[in-house]
Amino acid sequence: MTPLQGLRVIDISTLFAGPMAAMHLGDMGAEVIKVEHPRRPDPARGHGPSRDGHNLWWKTLGRNKRTITLDLHTDGGREIMAKLATRSDVVIENFRPGTLERWGLGYGELSSANPGLVLARVSGFGQVGPYRDRPGFGTLAEAMSGFAAATGEPDGPPTLPPFGLADGIASLATAYAIMVALRSRDRDGQGQEIDVAIIEPILAMLGPQITRWDQLRSVQPRTGNRSANNAPRNVYRTADGAWVAVSTSAQSIAERVMHLVGRPDLTREPWFRSGAERAEHADELDDAVGGWIARHDRATVIRAFEEAQAAVAPVYDASDIMSDPQYAAIGTVRRLPDPDLGDVAVQGPLFRLSKDGDGIAFTGRAHGADTEEVLRELGYSHEAVRSLRTEGTIA
């Protein structure tokens, strides 16, 4: 048994936030049907690296999803979509606000046939407001949320992440919102619409920015790898050319680090008594910590910090993660059979449950691989499927 077994999700979204939310639900056993345009597949299929012509990002993003093609611009496509919604629990979409309504597939129409339906609407700026019709991507949310303004070196430009951070955070918020709406449905049998604006979830992750401005008229400055709240906190290079990260959010950890690196005298300074005061002396603390780390290789540094019960971590790339014993122990990486690549490593679910298993079963499937099977389940005959294919409603 899986936690979400019996839950059916229709994913008509593209690129990242919506499809990732569907992926998270699929990881927990929900049946996910991915709907794509017959001639314009989800652009995520062409995003990032490929091997032998097979996109690697899609192998993860599309996992556990049956894939069908459907042109929602056509009467036949809209009819099929309405039938799917009638037999489903959740629909996830990320079209421009108002698009589903123009197609006659708005929540009013869909919920009249299925009152328990949850419609999750993911857009850059939300369903209302002056920006609702703008194209919205995670990069814009990273800029508008305050993330870019607070990221980077003090004398450098605002910095964007090299991956879909805002989309990933929005996907978690969407999956959470869906489960909240389903819990509400358990109470009264009624579904509802969910409005996720990608600019919001990442803002919620950035701490008390809003309250800080409201009360102090102050914004968080760019501090590079340092923190305004504690020190030492940075990345440091070891003697063998590797990097490690050190954090001293707790006062006791800060004291242990300074004893370890041979500078217990600094712990007796009046300014050492709080993280904020230590941050004002980050140069001196970084010199002490960085100087000690620079004289030892990474293995020695990690071992010494562990023995001192001080907080340290190696700076990893993917190859390090794949060989790390802690990730292996908690089962972070899974290997799945794949018809194109033979055997593929993917990251597993975000957590483990003590009673239920998860639903990771297969990697991302080919465009439209399950179209005919799903349509037959809806009652379409072989002849009707062939006719839909001829007219271009499906591929």
Side-chain angles (χ1 to χ4, degrees):
M1 292 293 293
T2 57
L4 299 184
Q5 187 169 333
L7 186 76
R8 174 177 270 193
V9 177
I10 308 301
D11 175 14
I12 58 174
S13 60
T14 58
L15 289 174
F16 303 116
M20 284 185 74
M23 181 196 77
H24 294 313
L25 298 176
D27 282 352
M28 290 295 108
E31 177 195 358
V32 180
I33 298 176
K34 170 72 175 180
V35 177
E36 298 174 83
H37 192 280
R39 293 163 294 281
R40 296 190 299 275
D42 188 331
R45 289 182 179 272
H47 192 87
S50 296
R51 178 187 170 196
D52 300 332
H54 302 290
N55 181 263
L56 301 181
W57 183 208
W58 180 255
K59 294 298 183 182
T60 292
L61 186 64
R63 68 191 189 205
N64 303 317
K65 300 180 184 181
R66 293 200 288 168
T67 61
I68 72 169
T69 58
L70 210 57
D71 187 347
L72 298 179
H73 298 85
T74 67
D75 291 340
R78 291 190 290 269
E79 177 184 290
I80 295 169
M81 181 61 209
K83 288 184 178 181
L84 281 171
T86 299
R87 303 186 183 193
S88 300
D89 300 283
V90 178
V91 172
I92 302 174
E93 67 99 359
N94 71 336
F95 296 105
R96 299 263 189 108
T99 299
L100 287 187
E101 285 72 16
R102 289 196 302 272
W103 288 340
L105 295 171
Y107 188 68
E109 291 87 352
L110 297 180
S111 63
S112 65
N114 181 4
L117 182 70
V118 171
L119 175 61
R121 318 194 75 162
V122 185
S123 62
F125 304 100
Q127 298 297 308
V128 299
Y131 303 161
R132 71 188 290 267
D133 295 323
R134 290 183 181 180
F137 297 100
T139 297
L140 309 188
E142 289 146 11
M144 288 183 63
S145 65
F147 174 85
T151 305
E153 295 299 325
D155 56 352
T159 302
L160 296 167
F163 55 89
L165 178 63
D167 281 298
I169 295 172
S171 78
L172 294 172
T174 302
Y176 167 58
I178 288 169
M179 299 312 299
V180 169
L182 292 172
R183 182 68 180 93
S184 176
R185 188 182 72 173
D186 290 342
R187 183 179 61 244
D188 59 19
Q190 298 297 308
Q192 58 185 299
E193 286 183 272
I194 296 167
D195 179 5
V196 177
I198 299 175
I199 58 174
E200 284 187 300
I202 185 173
L203 174 58
M205 297 297 105
L206 296 178
Q209 285 196 93
I210 301 302
T211 307
R212 175 176 178 164
W213 173 255
D214 177 68
Q215 296 296 308
L216 302 175
R217 288 297 186 265
S218 168
V219 297
Q220 181 176 336
R222 289 191 289 281
T223 57
N225 289 320
R226 288 178 173 177
S227 168
N229 301 313
N230 67 82
R233 191 265 197 180
N234 213 324
V235 294
Y236 307 93
R237 195 165 193 173
T238 62
D240 54 347
W243 292 88
V244 297
V246 172
S247 176
T248 58
S249 295
Q251 181 70 20
S252 59
I253 298 295
E255 294 172 1
R256 291 171 193 165
V257 168
M258 301 320 298
H259 279 83
L260 170 63
V261 302
R263 292 299 308 273
D265 57 297
L266 293 177
T267 66
R268 295 187 288 273
E269 295 287 347
W271 48 261
F272 200 86
R273 61 191 172 193
S274 73
E277 290 178 290
R278 294 198 308 274
E280 294 176 0
H281 294 265
D283 287 342
E284 186 174 1
L285 293 170
D286 275 348
D287 285 345
V289 176
W292 184 89
I293 289 175
R295 296 192 296 273
H296 301 84
D297 61 33
R298 186 173 78 174
T300 300
V301 170
I302 298 295
R303 183 168 58 253
F305 268 72
E306 288 181 348
E307 291 173 354
Q309 297 185 42
V312 70
V315 176
Y316 275 176
D317 60 23
S319 65
D320 298 308
I321 293 168
M322 293 285 284
S323 60
D324 182 85
Q326 181 61 34
Y327 280 118
I330 60 178
T332 300
V333 178
R334 305 286 184 85
R335 300 207 74 92
L336 299 177
D338 182 82
D340 303 311
L341 302 175
D343 183 53
V344 176
V346 301
Q347 182 178 327
L350 305 179
F351 50 83
R352 288 152 295 283
L353 298 173
S354 64
K355 181 169 67 71
D356 296 314
D358 60 66
I360 295 186
F362 52 88
T363 56
R365 291 170 60 74
H367 180 233
D370 306 287
T371 301
E372 185 160 353
E373 179 183 47
V374 171
L375 291 182
R376 295 298 294 273
E377 291 171 1
L378 291 175
Y380 286 82
S381 67
H382 178 73
E383 291 74 19
V385 172
R386 184 170 56 188
S387 177
L388 288 165
R389 185 168 283 120
T390 299
E391 68 187 36
T393 298
I394 62 175

